[in-house]
């Protein structure tokens, strides 16, 4: 993996670098959630959600308009997946916000049940993201010119 300030050397590296950053933020959120720290989990999730929105905007406006006609998947597939990811992310964000607003639950089964429900709620989001990233790594990263990708992700 190239250093954060160096340009990725392969087409897939541009996507991997961006996805790894977002995945690390979501992972940090989940660790706070597992620890029952709803306030920190919420703060991390809000940071991740803002980064996700920026990521989707870059892909939708700077990359997807250049998907070739003979691409493995049409740009519309990626756009629809972005919409689904954003919807699931917003639903999870609302659940975590609600948990953070509630009075702290005492240690024990009710607290663990609340944490488990939030983790279960994040499962579909993580599943869709995983498949979306795989689609981008196996196809889109190879179908778009590397200079276009580098320009799109410059500074991010």
């Amino acid at each position: 993996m190239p250093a954060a300030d160096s340009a990725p050397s392969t087409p897939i590296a541009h996507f991997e670098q961006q996805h790894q950053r977002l995945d690390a933020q979501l992972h940090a959120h989940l660790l706070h959630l597992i620890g029952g720290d709803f306030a920190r989990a919420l703060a991390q999730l809000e940071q991740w959600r803002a980064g996700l929105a920026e990521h989707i905007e870059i892909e939708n406006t700077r990359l997807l308009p250049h998907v070739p006609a003979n691409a493995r998947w049409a740009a519309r597939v990626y756009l629809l997946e972005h919409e689904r990811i954003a919807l699931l992310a917003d639903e999870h964000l609302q659940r975590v916000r609600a948990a953070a607003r509630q009075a702290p639950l005492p240690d024990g089964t009710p607290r663990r049940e609340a944490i488990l429900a939030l983790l279960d709620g994040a499962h579909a989001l993580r599943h869709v993201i995983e498949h979306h990233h795989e689609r981008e790594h196996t196809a889109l990263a190879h179908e778009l010119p590397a200079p276009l990708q580098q320009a799109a992700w410059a500074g991010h």
Side-chain angles (χ1 to χ4, degrees):
M1 172 81 157
D5 60 347
S6 67
S9 59
T10 64
I12 193 170
H14 293 285
F15 283 95
E16 283 181 343
Q17 189 174 37
Q18 297 303 314
H19 294 160
Q20 286 174 356
R21 181 180 53 81
L22 287 169
D23 290 346
Q25 290 176 338
L26 186 57
H27 184 83
H29 155 71
L30 292 170
L31 290 177
H32 291 306
L33 200 56
I34 289 168
D37 189 340
F38 297 140
R40 288 181 71 189
L42 176 59
Q44 186 67 50
L45 183 61
E46 288 173 337
Q47 180 184 357
W48 171 81
R49 184 61 183 96
L52 176 68
E54 181 181 33
H55 179 87
I56 289 172
E57 178 68 17
I58 288 169
E59 287 188 1
N60 287 357
T61 62
R62 298 182 191 175
L63 295 172
L64 295 181
H66 302 282
V67 171
N70 64 343
R72 186 168 177 184
W73 289 289
R76 179 147 175 77
V77 171
Y78 299 102
L79 292 167
L80 289 171
E81 285 179 342
H82 287 163
E83 289 176 14
R84 179 75 175 141
I85 290 167
L87 175 68
L88 291 170
D90 290 342
E91 289 174 352
H92 182 61
L93 181 58
Q94 293 308 313
R95 288 188 298 268
V96 174
R97 279 185 179 145
R101 281 193 302 264
Q102 290 180 351
L105 294 170
D107 287 337
T109 302
R111 184 174 186 76
R112 288 191 298 267
E113 290 287 346
I115 292 167
L116 181 58
L118 290 169
L119 290 172
D120 283 347
H123 181 73
L125 170 63
R126 294 177 70 209
H127 181 76
V128 172
I129 288 171
E130 179 183 329
H131 285 280
H132 178 72
H133 287 179
E134 184 65 24
R135 185 185 314 277
E136 289 182 344
H137 295 175
T138 60
L140 189 60
H142 301 282
E143 295 167 334
L144 295 175
L148 174 69
Q149 293 179 52
Q150 187 169 359
W153 297 118
H156 298 284

